Amino acid sequence: MEATIIDGKEIAARVKADVADSVSTLKKRGVVPCLAVILVGNNPASVSYVSGKRKALCEAGMEDRSIELPESTTEQELLGIIEKLNNDSSVHGILVQLPLPPHISEKAVTDAISPAKDVDGFHPVNVGKLVSGEKGFLPCTPNGITVLLKKTGIETDGKNVVVVGRSNIVGKPMALLMLRKEFNATVTICHTGTKNLADFTRRADILIVASGRPNTVTADMIKPGAAVIDVGVNRIPDSSRKSGFRLCGDVDFEGAKKVAGFITPVPGGVGPMTIAMLIFNTLESARQTLGGK
Ligand code: NAP
């Protein structure tokens, strides 16, 4: 039997509809959730991600205070813009689309965003809260994956979760979330230093792959019936497409779906959840301005 395909688009649509309802309620109390998405330069993937985020903001009834800057923008200029947004009480969230041009330090920019408006959850204060289990903004992609698992009814308690990849934005926070008592999984993190990757992936009840390389995981590396979450987004040249490329994940989808119990497609799996959790975090930030009232 083939795997059940986890429809991230449909689950994200439900999350977004709930957020839109809460936005209407908040507006009646005089608060309009507002996010500033800052894009520097015109990296095609970044342009596409930013336009998806802005569309979702608009659909949720939020205010879009986005700023597009030329590639030549200096670090000082960008930090100045962030400082203004930090001090603007009508802005609830600030997101700087990564990667930045090489002359701008991503760390300096991430650190400059007020932790109270860091809806991406990348600021060291929010990372620290994630590690210690305190309430803070959770990074959108890993948090979106926890929602996908919950809404699909995939049990994590006592399960073996294997995460392939240890980046600060996906692998590490994903592993930390699964380690929380709330999810209660036994977690293994793999990376390029892992010897015999398949020995680890085959033990996974839930396999989360964020390597950024197509075919990192193939059918023979999956335990029959496992839930496979493919985070990867890779652009493969494809002359038959108008865009000149097609998207694929980090897992060999066609092979994997014959072995797995559940699998996320690319596109249409994890990606839509990332955007849904971004508008969720923006809503939460706006709610906090009411001080729990
Ligand atoms: P990244 O910073 O490049 O990190 C990739 C990680 O995978 C690294 O830790 C690397 O190990 C590990 N890795 C690479 N090849 C491996 C292999 N063959 N075996 C084991 N480990 C391997 O990437 P990222 O930012 O985490 O993103 C991962 C993928 O997810 C990308 O395709 C990205 O586009 C996608 N993504 C999607 C979303 C979404 O919303 N759908 C959001 C974010 C990212 P080392 O540390 O040893 O180098």
Side-chain angles (χ1 to χ4, degrees):
M1 214 171 70
E2 285 207 345
T4 300
I5 310 293
I6 301 175
D7 188 347
K9 256 170 126 170
E10 192 269 324
I11 296 172
R14 279 193 267 153
V15 173
K16 288 196 277 188
D18 287 348
V19 171
D21 282 349
S22 303
V23 169
S24 315
T25 312
L26 215 53
K27 277 180 169 172
K28 286 182 194 136
R29 301 180 68 188
V31 180
V32 183
C34 169
L35 175 66
V37 180
I38 304 176
L39 173 66
V40 184
N42 53 9
N43 172 308
S46 296
V47 169
S48 154
Y49 292 143
V50 165
S51 87
K53 289 169 185 176
R54 297 183 66 179
K55 184 166 167 270
L57 270 181
C58 172
E59 285 169 0
M62 294 181 171
E63 190 187 333
D64 174 8
R65 196 79 69 81
S66 297
I67 301 169
E68 289 178 9
L69 299 167
E71 181 90 15
S72 57
T73 304
T74 65
E75 187 175 301
Q76 267 330 97
E77 283 166 339
L78 181 55
L79 293 177
I81 290 168
I82 292 170
E83 197 186 340
K84 279 202 186 110
L85 293 168
N86 279 341
N87 294 326
D88 182 339
S89 61
S90 66
V91 174
H92 305 105
I94 304 167
L95 178 158
V96 178
Q97 184 65 44
L98 301 178
L100 287 166
H103 63 276
I104 301 179
S105 155
E106 289 189 354
K107 178 164 166 47
V109 168
T110 305
D111 290 2
I113 295 171
S114 160
K117 298 189 181 188
D118 169 40
V119 286
D120 248 343
F122 295 164
H123 189 282
V125 166
N126 285 315
V127 175
K129 287 182 173 175
L130 169 62
V131 174
S132 61
E134 286 171 65
K135 196 166 161 27
F137 288 117
L138 296 174
C140 300
T141 302
N143 195 24
I145 292 170
T146 68
V147 175
L148 274 186
L149 294 172
K150 273 190 205 156
K151 301 242 183 219
T152 312
I154 296 169
E155 185 58 71
T156 54
D157 198 323
K159 301 292 182 196
N160 282 340
V161 171
V162 175
V163 180
V164 181
R166 58 176 159 188
S167 72
N168 289 336
I169 62 168
V170 189
K172 277 188 218 160
M174 187 74 245
L176 285 162
L177 279 173
M178 286 290 113
L179 207 55
R180 283 186 168 183
K181 204 84 173 168
E182 178 191 352
F183 297 104
N184 226 18
T186 302
V187 182
T188 306
I189 309 182
C190 301
H191 43 76
T192 57
T194 301
K195 301 257 186 302
N196 302 323
L197 181 64
D199 287 351
F200 295 90
T201 59
R202 275 192 211 114
R203 293 179 58 189
D205 302 305
I206 300 169
L207 178 58
I208 302 170
V209 190
S211 61
R213 295 183 197 176
N215 294 321
T216 302
V217 168
T218 47
D220 57 308
M221 298 167 75
I222 298 167
K223 175 174 168 176
V228 178
I229 308 295
D230 189 351
V231 187
V233 180
N234 303 294
R235 287 182 171 217
I236 307 291
D238 185 343
S239 55
S240 71
R241 303 278 175 107
K242 204 172 136 205
S243 60
F245 67 87
R246 67 186 157 84
L247 296 181
C248 81
D250 295 342
V251 175
D252 166 27
F253 181 80
E254 288 308 317
K257 75 176 184 198
K258 297 189 177 91
V259 185
F262 295 88
I263 189 164
T264 57
V266 178
V270 173
M273 290 307 294
T274 299
I275 294 185
M277 298 325 287
L278 173 67
I279 62 166
F280 173 80
N281 278 353
T282 305
L283 168 71
E284 286 296 297
S285 183
R287 267 188 185 141
Q288 277 159 26
T289 61
L290 291 172
K293 281 176 264 169

